[in-house]
């Protein structure tokens, strides 16, 4: 790779080609540099499971996994992710990676409108992959950047707690 | 902030992914300094989306290897500018040799933001409400800077100048932060008071103290969220040097804060309340240091 080419400076908003592995599939899309990853996912790739709420890092609705870690897709430009692996709620669902979390959220009414749910699930998935038996306090702490306007959080914490315990007794993390 | 009046999309810019420090510096100069380095983007992207900033060129520095990594160098721990907040929690060298950063890290934002935000970005931004800039002061860290005219190191004491203003000149890059290795005769403590976990603190404080037996030989106390910059409280420090940490000394240090701090007027947290919270926090932390013997 080399230094900057001066012509680049006069090409603001000229689209660039970005290659990603999204949910296990190689994709390429044309994006303007200012386009955030959440817009690219929703508009270009039609993966609308990732929600855009505040678009400034405050609500957590837009969480996706980037190279295996939960990040806000509203706080990264798609060009920055060129070459990276992205897993959205669609991919995690299809793979069955969060099936037990989804079932428990459903069973305990841990969602009403569902706007916050994809972000909650991505976050819960990361938490349980790092801490196998989190305390309720740790669960709350991990969810501190995810807003829910409907449930009052209690059922969400219950669901994650129940899954952590179930995974512990069944002896395996999916 | 009235979001109803504000666009939430950044203005158009060009994007350049730099592979080396020289390429990044050169790109900045060629854009006539109408450019921004982007690291974790966790502060910059919201600022662009709200159009508080609208540079012509975005220089991605996250692929520059030289800005990465944590290692011992002589009496210091060299922490690369791109070290992510989450690594402050997971990296064993940090837990061992810069435990104050390890202790402060859980208070920085939320897990997903810690997965991307960088140490260099936090120090460069110098938000007075941020944990890490204040901790560089407590640690007597040195900030290594690369610019068009070469490299230099600036002590944290000389780095923070005013609100969001630092010794960094336009087009200069933080490459690493050097922290003196934590020693067996030292103790540390960190805590903060916030309305909710993950929120920016109302007041936060970190302390690094060197003991000679039971007496304090040297102490550095640094606050966040008490003024325009991260703030050392030299009056309180002076009351403690040479003494044991007993109730009388702790009370004297708390009283000295009145001369050290002049919190700004604010609707949410009046200056008297902030000063009170600063005293409460200092009492707690010094108490913990005393017990840590
Ligand atoms: C919802 C939310 C809550 C947050 N809460 C907290 C909190 O409680 N405490 C806290 O400390 N922070 C908090 N943050 C901010 C977060 O910690 C940022 O990661 C950090 O302030 C900036 O680091 P960054 O790597 O993301 O920098 P960026 O956003 O990429 O850059 C910030 C600025 O620094 C410059 N810059 C970046 N790297 C360098 C470098 N190496 N050399 C020179 N200049 C550079 C950029 O040009 C830009 O001007 C929060 C952010 C959000 C969105
Ligand atoms: S949309 Fe990204 S955090 Fe709200
Ligand atoms: S279910 Fe509606 S916001 Fe959480």
């Amino acid at each position: 790779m080399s230094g900057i080419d001066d012509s680049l400076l006069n090409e603001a908003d000229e689209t660039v080609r970005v290659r990603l592995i999204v949910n296990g599939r190689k994709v390429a899309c044309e994006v303007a540099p200012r386009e955030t990853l959440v817009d690219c996912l929703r508009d270009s790739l039609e993966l609308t499971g990732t929600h855009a709420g505040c678009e400034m890092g405050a609500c957590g609705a837009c969480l996706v996994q980037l190279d295996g870690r939960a990040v806000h897709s509203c706080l990264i430009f798609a060009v920055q992710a060129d070459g990276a692996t992205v897993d959205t709620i669609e991919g995690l669902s299809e793979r069955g990676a969060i099936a037990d979390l989804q079932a428990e959220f459903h069973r305990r009414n841990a969602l009403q409108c569902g706007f916050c749910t994809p972000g909650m699930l991505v976050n819960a998935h990361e938490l349980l992959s790092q801490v196998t038996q989190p305390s309720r306090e740790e669960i709350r702490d991990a969810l501190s950047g995810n807003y829910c306007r409907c449930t009052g959080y209690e059922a969400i914490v219950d669901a994650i707690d129940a899954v952590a315990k179930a995974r512990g007794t069944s002896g395996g993390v999916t | 902030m009235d979001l109803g009046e504000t666009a939430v999309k950044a203005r158009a810019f060009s994007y350049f992914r730099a592979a080396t420090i020289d390429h990044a510096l050169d790109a900045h100069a060629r854009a006539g300094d109408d450019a921004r380095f982007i690291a974790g983007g966790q502060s910059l992207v919201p600022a662009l989306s709200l159009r508080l900033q609208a540079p012509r060129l975005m220089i991605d520095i996250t692929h520059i290897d030289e800005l990465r990594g944590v290692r011992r160098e002589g009496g210091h721990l060299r922490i690369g500018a791109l070290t992510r907040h989450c690594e402050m929690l997971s990296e064993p060298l940090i837990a061992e040799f810069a435990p104050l950063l390890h202790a402060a890290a859980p208070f920085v934002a939320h897990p997903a933001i810690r997965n991307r935000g960088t140490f260099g970005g936090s120090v460069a931004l110098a938000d007075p409400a941020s944990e890490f800039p204040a901790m560089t002061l407590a640690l007597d860290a040195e900030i290594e800077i690369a610019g068009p005219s070469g490299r230099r190191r600036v002590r944290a004491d000389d780095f923070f100048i005013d609100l969001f203003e630092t010794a960094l000149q336009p087009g200069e890059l933080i490459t690493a932060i050097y922290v003196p290795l934590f020693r067996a005769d030292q103790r540390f403590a960190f805590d903060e008071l916030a309305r909710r976990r993950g929120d920016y603190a109302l007041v936060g404080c970190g302390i690094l103290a060197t003991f000679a037996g039971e007496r304090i030989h040297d102490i550095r106390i640094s606050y966040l969220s008490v003024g325009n910059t991260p703030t050392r409280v030299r009056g309180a420090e002076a009351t403690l040097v040479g003494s044991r940490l007993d109730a009388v000394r702790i009370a004297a240090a708390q009283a000295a804060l009145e001369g050290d701090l002049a919190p700004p007027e604010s609707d949410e947290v009046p200056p008297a309340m902030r000063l009170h919270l600063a005293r409460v926090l200092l009492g707690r932390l010094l108490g913990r240091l005393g017990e840590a013997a």
Side-chain angles (χ1 to χ4, degrees):
Chain A
M1 210 192 278
S2 59
I4 191 168
D5 177 348
D6 279 334
S7 65
L8 184 70
L9 290 169
N10 306 317
E11 291 172 358
D13 239 16
E14 198 106 321
T15 60
V16 288
R17 197 168 182 78
V18 169
R19 290 184 175 75
L20 303 164
I21 298 175
V22 179
N23 299 329
R25 282 182 285 274
K26 283 189 187 169
V27 298
C29 35
E30 297 286 330
V31 298
R34 63 164 153 173
E35 196 172 314
T36 54
L37 182 60
V38 64
D39 286 344
C40 172
L41 291 170
R42 290 178 55 86
D43 302 342
S44 307
L45 300 173
E46 297 184 359
L47 291 167
T48 53
T50 304
H51 291 163
C54 65
E55 298 188 67
M56 49 188 283
C59 74
C62 66
L63 289 179
V64 299
Q65 283 194 328
L66 182 74
D67 291 328
R69 299 298 294 256
V71 304
H72 295 89
S73 57
C74 72
L75 294 185
I76 174 169
F77 296 112
V79 275
Q80 290 176 274
D82 187 25
T85 297
V86 179
D87 289 288
T88 67
I89 192 68
E90 288 90 348
L92 295 175
S93 302
E94 283 163 24
R95 289 215 307 270
I98 53 171
D100 51 356
L101 278 165
Q102 287 169 312
E104 205 60 33
F105 266 57
H106 183 232
R107 203 168 77 77
R108 291 175 184 264
N109 292 321
L111 66 155
Q112 287 174 29
C113 78
F115 192 81
C116 70
T117 314
M120 290 288 181
L121 289 169
V122 170
N123 206 340
H125 180 54
E126 169 146 313
L127 173 69
L128 295 185
S129 68
Q130 290 176 348
V131 189
T132 43
Q133 292 298 323
S135 64
R136 290 183 73 86
E137 202 47 43
E138 285 174 305
I139 295 171
R140 287 190 168 277
D141 200 32
L143 298 181
S144 66
N146 289 68
Y147 285 4
C148 176
R149 293 289 153 191
C150 303
T151 66
Y153 302 98
E154 208 55 29
I156 295 175
V157 177
D158 289 345
I160 297 170
D161 190 30
V163 170
K165 290 189 172 119
R167 285 189 189 181
T169 50
S170 71
V173 181
T174 41
Chain B
M1 212 176 323
D2 184 354
L3 285 181
E5 302 267 11
T6 327
V8 289
K9 301 291 174 196
R11 280 251 304 278
F13 54 78
S14 304
Y15 171 85
F16 173 63
R17 187 180 275 194
T20 66
I21 291 174
D22 286 345
H23 287 167
L25 298 177
D26 177 57
H28 207 286
R30 285 189 198 220
D33 288 333
D34 187 3
R36 283 284 178 283
F37 298 122
I38 185 161
Q42 304 299 284
S43 295
L44 187 55
V45 177
L48 294 167
S49 297
L50 295 168
R51 301 203 175 182
L52 302 173
Q53 297 186 17
R56 186 175 163 214
L57 178 67
M58 195 64 54
I59 304 165
D60 188 343
I61 60 172
T62 57
H63 296 264
I64 303 177
D65 284 338
E66 215 189 312
L67 303 182
R68 227 179 274 286
V70 179
R71 62 171 185 266
R72 285 177 71 164
E73 261 187 42
H76 285 85
L77 196 64
R78 178 197 187 272
I79 306 176
L82 290 176
T83 303
R84 306 222 186 251
H85 302 340
C86 59
E87 293 176 73
M88 294 291 186
L89 291 165
S90 64
E91 169 57 55
L93 285 172
I94 295 201
E96 185 174 357
F97 295 115
L100 186 57
L101 294 175
H102 183 80
F107 294 89
V108 181
H110 316 286
I113 288 167
R114 294 200 290 267
N115 282 344
R116 278 198 74 73
T118 69
F119 191 33
S122 179
V123 173
L125 185 66
D127 187 329
S130 274
E131 288 79 6
F132 292 141
M135 292 314 99
T136 64
L137 274 181
L139 291 165
D140 197 11
E142 288 176 32
I143 292 113
E144 184 184 66
I145 297 170
S149 48
R151 304 251 175 139
R152 66 201 162 100
R153 277 207 206 178
V154 179
R155 285 183 62 186
D157 278 324
D158 303 320
F159 184 77
F160 303 103
I161 294 169
D162 206 337
L163 190 61
F164 298 113
E165 192 189 333
T166 68
L168 274 181
Q169 299 300 309
E172 286 189 328
L173 202 56
I174 295 181
T175 48
I177 289 131
Y178 287 79
V179 176
L181 299 178
F182 185 70
R183 301 192 315 255
D185 58 352
Q186 293 183 316
R187 297 178 205 166
F188 69 94
F190 179 89
D191 210 346
E192 67 179 42
L193 300 166
R195 291 217 159 86
R196 294 175 315 166
R197 189 63 185 250
D199 278 5
Y200 281 101
L202 299 171
V203 174
C205 179
I207 305 180
L208 183 71
T210 309
F211 283 76
E214 272 313 292
R215 288 181 193 279
I216 292 180
H217 174 66
D218 184 37
I219 187 162
R220 297 175 67 96
I221 307 174
S222 180
Y223 276 91
L224 47 127
S225 283
V226 292
N228 283 350
T229 59
T231 309
R232 257 182 87 186
V233 287
R234 292 170 195 266
E237 290 173 3
T239 62
L240 294 163
V241 173
S243 5
R244 289 166 195 280
L245 267 180
D246 55 28
V248 176
R249 273 297 129 192
I250 293 178
Q254 286 175 303
L257 287 180
E258 180 131 31
D260 284 324
L261 298 176
E265 284 297 334
S266 122
D267 292 342
E268 280 176 54
V269 193
M273 176 177 162
R274 238 188 256 275
L275 188 59
H276 171 73
L277 295 176
R279 279 196 213 100
V280 169
L281 208 48
L282 187 61
R284 283 187 196 167
L285 290 174
L286 290 175
R288 271 189 233 162
L289 276 192
E291 286 162 15

